[in-house]
Amino acid sequence: LGTRLVLQGPDPFQRQVGRQVLDAYGRFHRAEFEAFFNRGLVLGLLQRGYGELSNRDPAILDYIQAGLRLIMSCPSVLELFELLQVEALRLVCERPAPPLCARLCQLLGDFPQCLPRGRKLSLAFCQQLVRSIAHFQSQGTREAELRLYVSQVTQVSALLRSVWKAEPDTLLPSLQELFAVISAGDTSFEPSVALASLVQHIPLQMITVLIRSLTTDPNVKDASMTQALCRMIDWLSWPLAQHVETWVIALLKGLAAVQKFTILIDVTLLKIELVFNRLWFPLVRPGALAVLSHMLLSFQHSPEAFHLIVPHVVSLVHSFKRDGLPSSTAFLMQLTELIHCMMYHYSGFPELYEPILEAIKDMPKPSEEKIKLILSQSAWTSQSSSLPSCLSRLSGKSETGKTGLINLGNTCYMNSVIQALFMATDFRRHVLSLNLNGCNSLMRKLQHLFAFLAHTQREAYAPRIFFEASRPPWFTPRSQQDCSEYLRFLLDRLHEEERTLKALSSAKSSEMTDESQAQEAVHKSQVFTEAPCMGSEERTLIEKMFGGKLKTNICCLNCKSMSQKEEAFTDLSLAFCPPTSLENVDAKCMEHSEVKDDYMVQSDTLATSPAAETPLNNLEVNRGCGTIMNEGTVEDFSSEPSSENTTISELKVENNGDISQSLVGKNTLSVTDLLNYFLAPEILSGDNKYYCEKCASLQNAEKTMQIIEEPEYLILTLLRFSYDPKCHIRRKILDNVSLPLVLELPVKRATSPLAVVSGGWSVGVEISDTGENLAKKLKPSGAEEVTCPQLVPYVLSSVVVHSGVSSESGHYYSYARNVSGSGPSGLCHQSTALSLVSPQDKLFPEESPCTVVENELDTEMPREWFLFNDSRVTFTSFQSVQKITSRFPKDTAYVLFYKKQNSTCGFSTNPANGLWVNGDPPLQKDLMDAITKDNKLYLQEQELSARTQALQAASASCSFRPNGFDDNDPPGSCGPTGGGGGGGFSTVGRLVF
């Protein structure tokens, strides 16, 4: 009667009476109750039900649990426990609904003696319970129904946790079963997100082992892994799940570490919008934001994933703002930082980003340094592999974030120059901003190369197309060449090409009559014009960036008549002082500075004693001592054929007995000294007399040169290759020359029209003369002008170094840093810079220039300098730059790039829309598409290589081959393999199997 009332009672009152009757029998008539509540009754209830009551009704389990409590002290309960162990396993195999399964787990939790015993049965129970959870579905949509469903799932997962804790051997097989369920490709069955409830019970310390097992198991196919990862991401919808985002991110990182990029790309594009939509729900928002951040920040080869969520960002931001809750504000700040990072990385889409920028304008914006750090740490190619070292990871960009250039066979001369030009920030930005669509010019190819250097994910890029287009015709392929000669040729080509295109577009526009032709003319004329902020000057880009002007004055010492000529230049070639004139250097420099005594601004301590008493080691050195090398003339752009020294001229040294003595003994010259020497007056006499038209005869004359218009980027070439007339070879001057971090260029600006002005860019200036004339240049000028030169400060941007003893051999590499008009140059204060025309210093007698330089290095910004050595790019310091020659005598600075301080060339580096990546302008769509395509190809190449290595790992032998850059080793020689050739360079130090 009691049983019937409990199981079939029509109302709660009768069911309550039935429970009281059973309780009375169990307490006061235990023998009768034990005889009644036996194996047969329990088995019948579990298999057949009771009357009309189904055996799958939770009420059956309620009744059995109540009966077990009443006979716990009776011997017969052991028999019931054995029965229930079998029946519990049978029940979970039948995939019970959530209410019945939760009730069963509650019973088993209260009576753990009913859990299946033995490893085999216990393991089968756990696996089948996992399968049962996978079939769970909520029966309602109202909040109360959903809450009940969640609580039922929680009960089931809690039982599994207790089993795993009691029998740890069941955990791993249970997780394997879980993975088998979510990786199944059966489209007719979708596992329940209730499986997410199990994740919180998996110990976090197992992440490494499990992820490594999953990502390296050859039996796990890509399709299965993709399916499993997608379903794990779906688990973010489960309200009470903990650590789901931790496991999802760990699996994403694990796949990246073994280069399974195809899976990552597919999953990201499939699920990024779902993850973003989870941000609308506060319960699951933290986990969803963590996964969204990782997916977006790691998906760096293409803007596709980010652009899928862009349309939904504004509405979500407004929703967060309306909430006004502290939690919503905190999440909004995190989301804003993420959005800024992505817009920084994928600039060039103002129509998409402007509404977002408007929506988040009140939120704090992360600094550029923080954005770079976040992006560099999040890329797939930066994920450190936790796998055994037998699976070496293909490396993406180095930690510097810079891209190397592959040596195509003795092309280090080009690579070093290109990297120096690329690191000339304002020039790079101008090139990237040009509208060159439909143009197949050399400038277009340079823009393409710069774009790839800025945005590719490859560690090094092969510039084959640009090399073939820019190589001078007389350069023999695969042989070493002069980088300075290449630089001049390249700038000349770019300059002439732009002038030609502008002339052609102008001629075509004058002939066009109808409207469509006029529109075409406008397009053509804009080929080499920058973005709207650039202005419309007629000067070419090369003139704007590297063009300066020299004024040459020649005064006849007989009739005092003056001849003047203006000459344009793009680089200045600085000769070394010949041995015969060393004793006069100080005298010349001192007298030169004394003339301008009243006009010195930067230096207070001018010489008052005789010049001969001023030792050379007291010359101002300005923060530096490294060096560079080459020979040549001032660069010219000849619109007409010119015979005036348009080729490299040789510095002839009469006595080559010991070239190392061709400078000032054991003292170190600086670039300042060489520039002073270049600008010093020169007496034209003897065989080099000047033909004076007024006198109508050859006369002694004085020649002076003045810089009257300074360039934005000052390129200085040190004439290190001298011609030996006895041996008929070009020797290299290996003397160390200190490099000032800040250089002040004396500029005498033109105030009135000149009497004689050469036309255009038609004149080349020979700077390296014969030894005789070099000596004569040291004679002080009697016709020195009293005008004050303005001291224009420049900061060192790049240094191209030549390693070797001959211009026809050796290796080039370059040091460079990011220097923009208002950027890092701020660390070089003018107060520490000293005048070129006043070599007298402020050092104490016992101090050397290098001592002061090293002290000043303490203020250097960390990781500001980069070393570009073909494929390899590493962080370095200015201290390494200045000490390169003292440590490696054959490695000497050759070509220097200085950037005019506090100048932006009229180019806005911080546009209001904030959409420039690295401060660079947005790329044209076709360029961005090409880079995106190549980045995807690169990821596929890495994945294929990683899989090949994995297949070969078991059978191949292991050998240790360490490779890498050590500051104690010279940068190496040039070779077709790039990076260092004979220097032992490799793209990454690694174990090779």
Side-chain angles (χ1 to χ4, degrees):
L1 175 61
T3 298
R4 188 162 56 249
L5 288 175
V6 170
L7 296 177
Q8 294 183 322
D11 54 60
F13 173 71
Q14 293 191 32
R15 292 194 289 275
Q16 178 64 27
V17 170
R19 282 192 288 272
Q20 290 176 345
V21 171
L22 284 177
D23 185 65
Y25 261 97
R27 287 173 181 272
F28 305 110
H29 306 278
R30 181 161 296 180
E32 289 82 352
F33 182 77
E34 185 179 359
F36 173 77
F37 192 77
N38 57 23
R39 177 187 174 91
L41 173 68
V42 174
L43 187 60
L45 290 173
L46 290 173
Q47 294 187 354
R48 297 183 297 276
Y50 188 85
E52 297 179 357
L53 194 65
S54 167
N55 66 326
R56 299 180 71 85
D57 194 301
I60 296 289
L61 295 178
D62 285 338
Y63 176 81
I64 292 175
Q65 182 167 355
L68 288 175
R69 286 199 185 97
L70 295 174
I71 63 166
M72 271 298 289
S73 58
C74 300
S76 60
V77 74
L78 298 177
E79 185 181 12
L80 294 180
F81 286 161
E82 291 178 0
L83 170 67
L84 287 171
Q85 288 173 12
V86 177
E87 287 300 305
L89 180 57
R90 178 189 64 79
L91 198 56
V92 297
C93 290
E94 294 177 355
R95 309 289 176 256
L100 178 61
C101 194
R103 192 64 192 83
L104 173 65
C105 290
Q106 184 181 346
L107 185 152
L108 296 176
D110 290 345
F111 295 97
Q113 302 92 330
C114 299
L115 284 166
R117 297 292 176 183
R119 187 179 186 280
K120 187 175 181 180
L121 290 179
S122 180
L123 184 55
F125 175 78
C126 290
Q127 291 175 327
Q128 292 303 319
L129 196 55
V130 169
R131 293 263 175 192
S132 295
I133 297 174
H135 284 78
F136 283 1
Q137 299 296 332
S138 174
Q139 301 302 315
T141 56
R142 294 196 300 265
E143 183 178 350
E145 295 170 327
L146 293 175
R147 285 181 179 277
L148 178 60
Y149 173 61
V150 170
S151 67
Q152 292 166 349
V153 173
T154 302
Q155 281 185 314
V156 178
S157 64
L159 177 69
L160 262 175
R161 175 181 177 274
S162 64
V163 176
W164 290 342
K165 191 172 183 179
E167 301 185 49
D169 288 347
T170 61
L171 176 56
L172 194 55
S174 299
L175 298 181
Q176 291 172 338
E177 189 71 17
L178 173 62
F179 183 78
V181 170
I182 63 176
S183 63
D186 184 5
T187 55
S188 62
F189 170 67
E190 186 61 32
S192 171
V193 294
L195 288 169
S197 62
L198 299 178
V199 175
Q200 60 190 315
H201 302 311
I202 306 173
L204 289 177
Q205 56 265 34
M206 293 186 66
I207 284 185
T208 302
V209 177
L210 292 176
I211 297 302
R212 180 170 60 186
S213 174
L214 283 177
T215 54
T216 59
D217 188 347
N219 297 318
V220 178
K221 305 302 179 186
D222 285 3
S224 300
M225 183 64 75
T226 302
Q227 191 73 269
L229 190 50
C230 285
R231 285 169 174 160
M232 286 178 66
I233 291 172
D234 291 340
W235 292 351
L236 292 170
S237 304
W238 189 254
L240 298 183
Q242 298 176 15
H243 308 312
V244 170
E245 69 279 6
T246 305
W247 283 91
V248 170
I249 293 173
L251 186 52
L252 290 171
K253 288 183 176 180
L255 290 170
V258 294
Q259 284 86 38
K260 293 190 176 180
F261 301 118
T262 303
I263 298 175
L264 294 170
I265 292 172
D266 291 344
V267 170
T268 301
L269 295 179
L270 279 172
K271 292 297 179 180
I272 193 77
E273 289 177 282
L274 180 141
V275 175
F276 184 83
N277 288 336
R278 296 284 78 82
L279 297 179
W280 287 94
F281 307 101
L283 270 178
V284 298
R285 187 178 292 157
L289 185 58
V291 174
L292 179 74
S293 297
H294 180 80
M295 292 175 80
L296 285 179
L297 291 171
S298 60
F299 197 92
Q300 293 187 14
H301 68 284
S302 163
E304 188 176 359
F306 178 52
H307 288 177
L308 286 175
I309 69 163
V310 162
H312 315 297
V313 170
V314 174
S315 56
L316 183 67
V317 169
H318 289 325
S319 174
F320 281 171
K321 288 184 175 180
R322 285 194 301 269
D323 283 352
L325 301 174
S327 60
S328 296
T329 303
F331 279 117
L332 179 57
M333 292 182 68
Q334 295 178 50
L335 179 64
T336 299
E337 182 176 279
L338 172 63
I339 296 301
H340 275 301
C341 287
M342 298 316 297
M343 291 191 298
Y344 177 93
H345 190 62
Y346 291 116
S347 61
F349 303 92
E351 72 283 1
L352 294 178
Y353 300 163
E354 282 174 359
I356 299 177
L357 284 170
E358 179 64 26
I360 62 177
K361 63 183 180 182
D362 299 329
M363 303 302 297
K365 180 180 179 180
S367 65
E368 184 173 335
E369 290 72 21
K370 184 176 183 181
I371 290 176
K372 287 180 180 178
L373 179 65
I374 292 172
L375 288 170
S376 65
Q377 292 176 343
S378 304
W380 286 333
T381 50
S382 69
Q383 302 304 324
S384 60
S385 174
S386 58
L387 309 180
S389 56
C390 61
L391 292 179
S392 64
R393 182 177 67 86
L394 287 179
S395 64
K397 276 193 177 182
S398 69
E399 61 175 346
T400 64
K402 302 296 181 184
T403 304
L405 285 171
I406 295 173
N407 193 310
L408 305 176
N410 284 317
T411 58
C412 57
Y413 66 89
M414 175 189 72
N415 291 349
S416 58
V417 164
I418 293 301
Q419 294 286 19
L421 290 173
F422 178 79
M423 294 297 286
T425 308
D426 290 339
F427 176 64
R428 177 183 73 245
R429 291 173 179 170
H430 278 73
V431 170
L432 291 176
S433 69
L434 295 174
N435 179 15
L436 301 173
N437 287 335
C439 177
N440 193 31
S441 62
L442 182 61
M443 182 63 81
R444 170 65 172 173
K445 293 179 175 64
L446 181 63
Q447 184 186 57
H448 186 276
L449 177 55
F450 278 6
F452 268 82
L453 286 176
H455 296 280
T456 186
Q457 288 195 323
R458 295 181 184 274
E459 182 184 32
Y461 179 73
R464 291 185 179 86
I465 295 176
F466 186 80
F467 172 65
E468 292 302 327
S470 65
R471 178 174 59 86
W474 60 91
F475 275 20
T476 305
R478 307 188 72 82
S479 64
Q480 186 60 278
Q481 305 293 341
D482 189 325
C483 78
S484 177
E485 185 178 2
Y486 173 78
L487 175 60
R488 290 193 190 95
F489 177 80
L490 175 61
L491 296 182
D492 189 18
R493 276 277 309 277
L494 293 171
H495 166 77
E496 292 296 339
E497 182 183 77
E498 181 175 352
R499 290 209 321 180
T500 302
L501 286 174
K502 284 184 174 180
L504 287 175
S505 62
S506 176
K508 285 185 179 181
S509 63
S510 65
E511 298 171 0
M512 296 178 181
T513 54
D514 58 55
E515 184 177 350
S516 61
Q517 289 176 320
Q519 290 175 349
E520 182 181 351
V522 170
H523 173 71
K524 289 286 187 181
S525 66
Q526 290 176 343
V527 164
F528 267 95
T529 58
E530 289 94 10
C533 61
M534 287 304 301
S536 57
E537 298 181 23
E538 289 303 316
R539 301 173 69 199
T540 66
L541 177 57
I542 301 304
E543 290 175 301
K544 294 175 185 175
M545 292 290 103
F546 305 103
K549 285 187 180 179
L550 278 172
K551 184 176 72 172
T552 302
N553 298 317
I554 300 181
C555 178
C556 176
L557 297 181
N558 182 41
C559 67
K560 304 302 180 183
S561 64
M562 181 75 72
S563 173
Q564 296 181 329
K565 181 173 62 173
E566 275 190 19
E567 302 161 310
F569 68 88
T570 55
D571 78 315
L572 298 178
S573 296
L574 306 181
F576 285 76
C577 308
T580 57
S581 62
L582 292 181
E583 297 176 359
N584 301 322
V585 170
D586 294 335
K588 182 268 297 186
C589 293
M590 276 311 307
E591 294 177 22
H592 192 60
S593 63
E594 286 173 353
V595 173
K596 302 173 179 62
D597 186 22
D598 296 333
Y599 302 96
M600 293 311 300
V601 177
Q602 297 295 326
S603 179
D604 301 325
T605 57
L606 297 177
T608 55
S609 58
E613 296 178 12
T614 307
L616 184 62
N617 63 358
N618 282 343
L619 292 178
E620 290 238 26
V621 178
N622 288 358
R623 284 176 87 96
C625 55
T627 338
I628 306 186
M629 47 207 86
N630 195 316
E631 82 209 292
T633 68
V634 174
E635 175 58 55
D636 72 294
F637 294 106
S638 301
S639 56
E640 301 173 1
S642 172
S643 60
E644 293 188 38
N645 306 309
T646 57
T647 61
I648 298 177
S649 58
E650 310 286 353
L651 170 61
K652 296 183 179 179
V653 180
E654 297 299 330
N655 180 9
N656 288 281
D658 185 359
I659 293 182
S660 66
Q661 297 301 315
S662 63
L663 289 182
V664 191
K666 53 189 176 184
N667 295 311
T668 300
L669 284 178
S670 73
V671 173
T672 303
D673 302 326
L674 299 184
L675 198 50
N676 274 333
Y677 178 68
F678 166 64
L679 295 173
E682 173 189 1
I683 300 299
L684 304 178
S685 61
D687 293 339
N688 201 29
K689 283 186 177 181
Y690 166 69
Y691 180 81
C692 177
E693 293 184 357
K694 187 173 180 181
C695 299
S697 61
L698 292 173
Q699 296 291 337
N700 291 339
E702 183 183 59
K703 176 183 175 183
T704 58
M705 287 192 293
Q706 300 167 345
I707 299 172
I708 60 173
E709 185 176 314
E710 74 279 10
E712 291 297 331
Y713 283 94
L714 175 65
I715 302 177
L716 301 176
T717 302
L718 307 190
L719 299 182
R720 288 193 171 270
F721 300 114
S722 61
Y723 179 68
D724 184 346
K726 293 182 180 180
C727 302
H728 301 289
I729 60 172
R730 294 171 70 198
R731 296 184 180 274
K732 179 178 176 181
I733 301 173
L734 297 174
D735 298 76
N736 195 6
V737 176
S738 68
L739 308 181
L741 202 54
V742 177
L743 184 72
E744 290 191 324
L745 188 69
V747 179
K748 293 188 177 181
R749 305 190 186 279
T751 56
S752 60
L754 296 175
V756 180
V757 180
S758 64
W761 290 64
S762 59
V763 182
V765 181
E766 181 176 0
I767 295 173
S768 53
D769 300 304
T770 64
E772 179 183 0
N773 285 331
L774 285 173
K776 291 178 180 179
K777 286 183 72 170
L778 296 175
K779 184 175 179 180
S781 167
E784 184 69 48
E785 296 183 12
V786 194
T787 56
C788 172
Q790 178 181 351
L791 298 176
V792 179
Y794 282 81
V795 292
L796 186 61
S797 171
S798 302
V799 180
V800 179
V801 175
H802 178 263
S803 175
V805 294
S806 166
S807 61
E808 289 79 23
S809 63
H811 178 58
Y812 289 101
Y813 55 95
S814 49
Y815 293 96
R817 60 172 177 157
N818 285 313
V819 178
S820 57
S822 55
S825 60
L827 67 94
C828 314
H829 301 291
Q830 293 188 29
S831 60
T832 66
L834 300 166
S835 169
L836 284 174
V837 294
S838 177
Q840 184 72 8
D841 62 25
K842 304 177 187 177
L843 303 178
F844 292 103
E846 65 273 12
E847 287 186 302
S848 68
C850 287
T851 305
V852 174
V853 170
E854 290 179 1
N855 292 338
E856 289 175 343
L857 285 175
D858 294 338
T859 62
E860 183 185 346
M861 294 173 62
R863 296 198 161 190
E864 183 192 23
W865 284 87
F866 304 93
L867 170 59
F868 295 90
N869 197 326
D870 286 336
S871 302
R872 185 177 177 82
V873 186
T874 54
F875 285 116
T876 186
S877 65
F878 182 65
Q879 194 170 14
S880 297
V881 180
Q882 67 168 175
K883 289 184 176 180
I884 188 68
T885 304
S886 60
R887 298 187 67 183
F888 310 111
K890 294 180 182 179
D891 293 32
T892 49
Y894 186 31
V895 180
L896 309 176
F897 284 70
Y898 278 91
K899 170 71 178 73
K900 189 160 73 170
Q901 198 169 11
N902 301 322
S903 168
T904 59
C905 320
F907 198 63
S908 174
T909 57
N910 295 300
N913 60 13
L915 302 180
W916 289 16
V917 56
N918 297 323
D920 289 346
L923 296 183
Q924 304 289 336
K925 184 179 183 302
D926 59 332
L927 266 182
M928 180 58 78
D929 290 344
I931 292 169
T932 298
K933 182 179 179 181
D934 184 70
N935 282 342
K936 190 170 183 179
L937 176 63
Y938 168 65
L939 294 177
Q940 292 170 345
E941 291 170 0
Q942 281 196 308
E943 181 173 357
L944 179 61
S945 178
R947 290 172 186 269
T948 303
Q949 288 183 15
L951 291 174
Q952 297 174 346
S955 58
S957 60
C958 174
S959 65
F960 184 66
R961 188 176 69 195
N963 282 308
F965 181 72
D966 185 345
D967 236 5
N968 296 317
D969 298 324
S973 61
C974 190
T977 55
F985 277 80
S986 172
T987 54
V988 62
R990 62 188 184 277
L991 283 170
V992 181
F993 284 77

